[in-house]
Coordinates of all heavy atoms in Angstrom, one line a residue:
Chain A
P309 N -0.5 22.5 5.1 CA -1.4 21.3 4.7 C -2.2 20.8 5.9 O -1.7 21.0 7.1 CB -0.4 20.3 4.2 CG 0.9 20.8 4.4 CD 0.9 22.2 4.9
I310 N -3.3 20.2 5.7 CA -4.1 19.7 6.8 C -3.6 18.3 7.3 O -3.1 17.6 6.5 CB -5.6 19.7 6.5 CG1 -5.9 18.6 5.4 CG2 -6.1 21.0 6.1 CD1 -7.3 18.3 5.3
I311 N -3.8 18.1 8.6 CA -3.7 16.7 9.1 C -5.0 16.3 9.6 O -5.6 16.9 10.6 CB -2.6 16.7 10.2 CG1 -1.2 17.0 9.7 CG2 -2.6 15.3 10.9 CD1 -0.1 17.0 10.7
Y312 N -5.6 15.4 8.8 CA -7.0 15.1 9.1 C -7.1 13.8 9.9 O -6.9 12.7 9.4 CB -7.8 14.9 7.8 CG -9.3 14.7 8.0 CD1 -10.1 15.8 8.3 CD2 -9.9 13.5 7.9 CE1 -11.4 15.7 8.6 CE2 -11.2 13.3 8.1 CZ -12.0 14.4 8.4 OH -13.3 14.2 8.7
F313 N -7.5 13.9 11.2 CA -7.5 12.8 12.1 C -9.0 12.6 12.6 O -9.1 12.3 13.8 CB -6.6 13.0 13.3 CG -5.1 12.7 13.0 CD1 -4.1 12.9 13.9 CD2 -4.7 12.1 11.8 CE1 -2.8 12.6 13.7 CE2 -3.4 11.8 11.6 CZ -2.4 12.0 12.5
D314 N -9.9 13.0 11.8 CA -11.3 12.9 12.3 C -12.1 11.9 11.4 O -13.2 12.1 11.0 CB -12.0 14.2 12.3 CG -13.3 14.3 13.1 OD1 -13.5 13.3 13.9 OD2 -14.1 15.2 12.9
N315 N -11.4 10.8 11.1 CA -12.0 9.9 10.1 C -13.2 9.0 10.6 O -14.0 8.5 9.9 CB -10.9 9.0 9.5 CG -9.9 9.8 8.7 OD1 -10.2 10.2 7.6 ND2 -8.7 10.0 9.3
A316 N -13.2 8.9 11.9 CA -14.4 8.2 12.5 C -15.7 8.9 12.3 O -16.8 8.3 12.3 CB -14.1 7.9 14.0
C317 N -15.5 10.2 12.1 CA -16.7 11.1 11.9 C -17.0 11.0 10.4 O -18.2 10.8 10.0 CB -16.4 12.5 12.3 SG -17.8 13.6 12.1
M318 N -16.0 11.3 9.6 CA -16.2 11.4 8.1 C -14.9 11.2 7.4 O -13.9 11.8 7.9 CB -16.8 12.8 7.9 CG -16.6 13.3 6.5 SD -18.0 12.8 5.5 CE -19.2 13.9 6.0
S319 N -14.9 10.4 6.4 CA -13.6 10.3 5.6 C -13.5 11.4 4.6 O -14.5 12.0 4.2 CB -13.6 8.9 4.9 OG -14.5 8.9 3.9
L320 N -12.3 11.6 4.1 CA -12.1 12.5 2.9 C -12.6 11.8 1.7 O -12.8 10.6 1.7 CB -10.7 12.9 2.8 CG -10.1 13.6 4.1 CD1 -8.6 13.9 3.9 CD2 -10.9 14.9 4.5
K321 N -12.7 12.5 0.6 CA -13.2 11.9 -0.7 C -12.1 11.9 -1.8 O -11.6 13.0 -2.1 CB -14.4 12.6 -1.2 CG -15.4 13.1 -0.2 CD -15.9 11.9 0.6 CE -16.8 12.4 1.8 NZ -17.0 11.4 2.9
P322 N -11.8 10.8 -2.4 CA -10.9 10.8 -3.5 C -11.5 11.4 -4.8 O -12.8 11.5 -4.9 CB -10.6 9.3 -3.8 CG -11.8 8.6 -3.3 CD -12.3 9.4 -2.2
E323 N -10.7 11.9 -5.7 CA -11.1 12.6 -6.9 C -12.1 11.7 -7.7 O -13.1 12.1 -8.2 CB -9.9 12.9 -7.7 CG -10.2 13.7 -9.0 CD -10.8 15.1 -8.7 OE1 -10.3 15.8 -7.9 OE2 -11.9 15.4 -9.3
C324 N -11.8 10.4 -7.7 CA -12.6 9.5 -8.6 C -14.1 9.4 -8.0 O -15.0 9.3 -8.8 CB -12.0 8.1 -8.6 SG -11.9 7.3 -7.0
V325 N -14.3 9.6 -6.7 CA -15.6 9.6 -6.2 C -16.3 10.9 -6.6 O -17.5 10.9 -7.0 CB -15.6 9.4 -4.7 CG1 -17.0 9.6 -4.0 CG2 -15.1 7.9 -4.3
I326 N -15.6 11.9 -6.4 CA -16.2 13.3 -6.8 C -16.5 13.3 -8.3 O -17.6 13.7 -8.7 CB -15.2 14.4 -6.5 CG1 -14.9 14.4 -5.0 CG2 -15.7 15.7 -6.9 CD1 -13.6 15.2 -4.6
S327 N -15.6 12.7 -9.1 CA -15.9 12.7 -10.6 C -17.1 11.8 -10.9 O -17.8 12.2 -11.8 CB -14.7 12.1 -11.3 OG -13.6 12.9 -11.0
E328 N -17.2 10.7 -10.2 CA -18.3 9.8 -10.5 C -19.7 10.5 -10.2 O -20.6 10.4 -11.0 CB -18.2 8.6 -9.6 CG -19.1 7.4 -10.0 CD -18.9 6.8 -11.3 OE1 -18.0 7.3 -12.1 OE2 -19.6 5.9 -11.7
M329 N -19.7 11.3 -9.2 CA -20.9 12.1 -8.9 C -21.2 13.1 -9.9 O -22.3 13.3 -10.4 CB -20.8 12.7 -7.5 CG -20.8 11.7 -6.4 SD -20.5 12.4 -4.8 CE -22.1 13.1 -4.5
V330 N -20.1 13.8 -10.4 CA -20.3 14.8 -11.4 C -20.7 14.1 -12.7 O -21.5 14.6 -13.5 CB -18.9 15.5 -11.6 CG1 -19.0 16.4 -12.9 CG2 -18.6 16.3 -10.4
R331 N -20.2 12.9 -12.9 CA -20.6 12.1 -14.1 C -22.1 11.9 -14.2 O -22.8 12.0 -15.2 CB -19.9 10.8 -14.2 CG -20.0 10.0 -15.5 CD -19.1 8.8 -15.5 NE -19.6 7.7 -14.6 CZ -20.4 6.8 -15.0 NH1 -20.9 6.8 -16.2 NH2 -20.8 5.9 -14.1
Y332 N -22.7 11.6 -13.0 CA -24.2 11.5 -12.9 C -24.8 12.8 -13.4 O -25.7 12.7 -14.3 CB -24.6 11.1 -11.5 CG -26.1 11.4 -11.3 CD1 -27.0 10.5 -11.8 CD2 -26.6 12.5 -10.7 CE1 -28.4 10.7 -11.6 CE2 -27.9 12.8 -10.5 CZ -28.8 11.9 -11.0 OH -30.2 12.1 -10.9

Side-chain angles (χ1 to χ4, degrees):
Chain A
I310 65 167
I311 295 180
Y312 187 76
F313 281 173
D314 195 15
N315 294 288
C317 181
M318 162 84 79
S319 72
L320 304 178
K321 320 301 173 200
E323 184 62 53
C324 60
V325 168
I326 299 164
S327 301
E328 189 68 358
M329 293 174 73
V330 171
R331 191 171 71 87
Y332 163 78

